[in-house]
Amino acid sequence: MRISNQTNREDGPKRGFGQRKSERLFKKISLFALLAVVAVAGCSNGTSEPNYVSAYKAEDANPELSAAINKFALDLYAKLEDEPGEADPGPNRMISPAGIGIALSMLKDGAEGETAQQMDGMLHLNGMSPEVLAESQMILSDLLRGSDPAVKMDIANSLWSRQGFEVNKDYAERIEKSYGAQVQAIDFTSDQAVSTINQWASDNTAGKIPEVVEAPLSENLVLLLMNAMYFKGDWSEPFKKGQTEDLPFYPEGGQEVKVPTMRQSGDYAYLDGEGFEAVRLPYGETRNFGMILALPDENSSLDEFKQRQLPKFNAWSQELSDNEGSIELPRFKLKDKLTLKATLSALGMVDAFSDQTAELGGLAAGGAQPGDIFVSFVTHDTFIEVNEEGTEAAAVTVIGAETTSVPAPQTPFDLKFNRPFFFAITDRTTGAIVFMGEVGNPAED
C-alpha cells in the first residue's frame, strides 16, 4: 500500500491504474448522501441564487456537527446491509443521510426524555442542545450553498400539520426560523393534500422526485416533517462525449454487460489504498465539491471494502494526493425509495416509533403523554444521474407522526471502473460528505 502525505487536490485526470486491477466491474449503485444540514433561516424553499455568497466563513462551521453527520452517515449505510429498507434489494442502492439527518434533527427538537436521548446517541450529537444544533446546521447549510458559485446545492424543509391539530407554537417558530422550514396546516383527508405535498417535493428537487406520499393518508396522521435536497454540478473537467463507448461491466456473480463508459486522462487526487484504489473528480470552479470513487482490488469485493474500509472513510479520504492517470467510468442513473423504520430502530432510535413509549410532547401544544404521538414511518426517495457533463442528485425524506390519541514516487495509473465501485461527493469547505454510494450494475436503474 502506498499512502502519500501530499496536499489533497481535486484536479483532473492522469493515466494508468485500473488495468492491473481487474476486468470485472461492480454494478451496484448505492448513493449515500451523508450530510445533515438545514435550509437557511428565512429561505423556506432552500433555493440557491446564482453566485450565492455565504454570510459565513469555513471557520464558523461547528466541527462537532460535521463529525456527527459523517459518523451517522457511515453507521446508517452499514446498517442498510441488515435492514435495507426495501423488500427486494437489487444490486444498486442510494440514500442521502444528509437529508435524513436534517429531518431527524427537526424531529429531535420536539423529542423529550429517553426518546431524545436515543436520537442524540444515534446522531452522535453528544448532548448538543437543539438551539446549538439548529444554529450549527443553519451555518453549515449556508456554507454549502455558497461553496461554489458554479454548483447548485439546495436544501428545503417543511412541516405539514393536520388541520385541527395544534402544533406547539414555540416548536413551529423554531423550525421555521432555524431550519427555514415552510410550516403549513393542511386537511390530510382532502383530495388535494397528497398532490400539494408531492408538488412541494417536486418543486424542491427540480422535478426529479415528483411523488413521495400516496393517497389515502392515515386518518391518524397529525404531522409530516420533510427535507428535500438537490445537487447539480458540472465536472471541473468534463468527459468528452466522443470518447464514451459501450464497454463491458462485470457485476458480482453475474454475466458481463455492455454499458456506456466515459473515459478521461489527466491529474487527479488519487490513493492506492489497502485493498482498493480511489480517485476524486471535482465539480465547478472552486473544486470544493467532488465525487470520490473507490474501486476494490480485483481479488477483493465491494462487500469487503464496505466492511473493512468504509468505516475508515474519514481517514483515507484525506490521503488522496495529486497523481497522473486515466479513468473509465460508466454513466449511471438511479432512483430508489426506502422505508427506514427498521433501520433507524436498529441504530438505537426505538422509542420514537412506539405508540406506548414515544416522548414527542414538544411537537404538540400543551405537550403530550408518552405514546400519544409517535413516528409511524420514515421514507426516503432518492435520484442521481452521472454523465459526461456532471452529476445531478436529489433526495426527499418524509417523517410521518401519528397520534393514538509521506509522499512516495508517483506511478502512472490506469483506473477502469468496470466492476462494482464506491463513490462519495464531499465538500472541502465544511468537510461534510454530501452524497455517498456504490455502483454494482450501471445498467440497472
Side-chain angles (χ1 to χ4, degrees):
M1 175 180 72
R2 175 175 61 78
I3 298 181
S4 173
N5 291 322
Q6 293 181 10
T7 303
N8 183 18
R9 282 189 52 187
E10 289 153 49
D11 294 1
K14 191 176 184 179
R15 36 175 180 75
F17 112 125
Q19 286 180 343
R20 69 182 195 279
K21 291 261 181 177
S22 141
E23 290 295 317
R24 297 171 37 221
L25 226 188
F26 278 72
K27 291 187 183 178
K28 185 173 185 179
I29 295 178
S30 142
L31 169 66
F32 181 16
L34 310 170
L35 97 131
V37 278
V38 282
V40 177
C43 192
S44 61
N45 64 0
T47 301
S48 295
E49 299 87 355
N51 301 315
Y52 180 83
V53 178
S54 175
Y56 303 96
K57 298 180 180 179
E59 54 266 30
D60 295 325
N62 184 344
E64 294 182 5
L65 178 59
S66 294
I69 288 167
N70 290 356
K71 287 179 181 178
F72 169 68
L74 295 171
D75 287 349
L76 179 63
Y77 198 70
K79 187 56 63 178
L80 287 168
E81 292 298 309
D82 301 322
E83 299 289 350
E86 49 190 338
D88 186 21
N92 305 319
R93 179 187 300 148
M94 177 176 177
I95 67 166
S96 172
I100 297 168
I102 296 171
L104 290 173
S105 295
M106 292 192 292
L107 177 68
K108 184 183 177 298
D109 194 291
E112 301 168 338
E114 182 65 20
T115 299
Q117 292 180 28
Q118 289 177 0
M119 296 186 69
D120 183 276
M122 181 185 69
L123 295 170
H124 298 282
L125 297 176
N126 296 320
M128 187 183 298
S129 70
E131 294 78 15
V132 172
L133 176 59
E135 181 182 13
S136 299
Q137 288 180 321
M138 181 175 65
I139 293 172
L140 182 57
S141 176
D142 202 62
L143 285 169
L144 283 167
R145 293 176 64 211
S147 186
D148 191 320
V151 173
K152 189 175 183 63
M153 180 75 242
D154 291 342
I155 306 163
N157 299 301
S158 60
L159 184 157
W160 307 82
S161 63
R162 185 181 71 189
Q163 286 184 349
F165 175 80
E166 191 174 354
V167 180
N168 183 314
K169 183 179 179 181
D170 292 338
Y171 171 77
E173 289 179 351
R174 288 196 306 272
I175 295 301
E176 187 172 19
K177 178 181 178 181
S178 298
Y179 291 84
Q182 171 186 330
V183 178
Q184 183 175 336
I186 190 171
D187 181 5
F188 287 148
T189 65
S190 73
D191 295 336
Q192 296 300 316
V194 169
S195 60
T196 299
I197 294 166
N198 285 334
Q199 188 63 52
W200 183 91
S202 180
D203 290 346
N204 286 285
T205 59
K208 299 305 178 183
I209 302 179
E211 182 177 318
V212 293
V213 294
E214 297 179 355
L217 298 173
S218 170
E219 60 182 13
N220 295 323
L221 188 68
V222 292
L223 285 177
L224 287 176
L225 284 167
M226 297 178 62
N227 165 270
M229 302 189 69
Y230 178 75
F231 173 91
K232 185 173 175 58
D234 290 343
W235 304 118
S236 301
E237 300 291 339
F239 290 81
K240 295 180 180 179
K241 289 186 177 181
Q243 295 187 8
T244 298
E245 62 176 305
D246 288 344
L247 296 175
F249 188 97
Y250 305 92
E252 191 80 17
Q255 293 185 343
E256 167 191 323
V257 295
K258 291 289 187 72
V259 294
T261 303
M262 308 177 293
R263 295 186 294 184
Q264 190 182 82
S265 298
D267 290 323
Y268 300 92
Y270 164 78
L271 172 68
D272 188 354
E274 184 177 350
F276 72 100
E277 292 175 279
V279 67
R280 187 177 195 272
L281 303 182
Y283 298 99
E285 297 174 0
T286 67
R287 300 173 179 256
N288 284 333
F289 287 107
M291 175 179 282
I292 295 176
L293 297 143
L295 181 70
D297 287 355
E298 185 175 4
N299 61 356
S300 184
S301 68
L302 185 56
D303 285 340
E304 289 181 62
F305 168 83
K306 290 189 291 184
Q307 292 173 12
R308 298 178 182 178
Q309 297 299 336
L310 187 54
K312 305 174 187 177
F313 177 86
N314 291 329
W316 61 256
S317 64
Q318 298 301 312
E319 297 291 339
L320 279 72
S321 60
D322 187 36
N323 206 81
E324 183 183 359
S326 62
I327 292 171
E328 291 183 1
L329 176 66
R331 293 194 313 230
F332 60 93
K333 181 178 180 180
L334 305 176
K335 290 183 179 181
D336 209 353
K337 185 180 186 71
L338 305 178
T339 59
L340 297 177
K341 180 177 178 178
T343 312
L344 297 175
S345 295
L347 286 172
M349 182 178 148
V350 178
D351 286 0
F353 294 104
S354 171
D355 60 2
Q356 300 295 318
T357 58
E359 296 178 80
L360 297 172
L363 301 175
Q369 295 299 310
D372 283 354
I373 301 174
F374 66 98
V375 177
S376 56
F377 66 87
V378 179
T379 61
H380 190 60
D381 291 80
T382 50
F383 167 91
I384 188 171
E385 181 173 10
V386 174
N387 56 30
E388 289 84 353
E389 288 80 19
T391 301
E392 187 173 22
V396 176
T397 306
V398 182
I399 299 176
E402 295 189 11
T403 181
T404 52
S405 172
V406 178
Q410 290 188 359
T411 302
F413 67 86
D414 180 19
L415 183 53
K416 300 178 186 293
F417 289 91
N418 62 351
R419 56 189 182 276
F421 61 88
F422 168 85
F423 66 87
I425 298 174
T426 65
D427 172 58
R428 289 189 305 183
T429 304
T430 62
I433 305 169
V434 184
F435 292 90
M436 180 185 291
E438 62 196 60
V439 176
N441 186 345
E444 293 193 18
D445 184 349

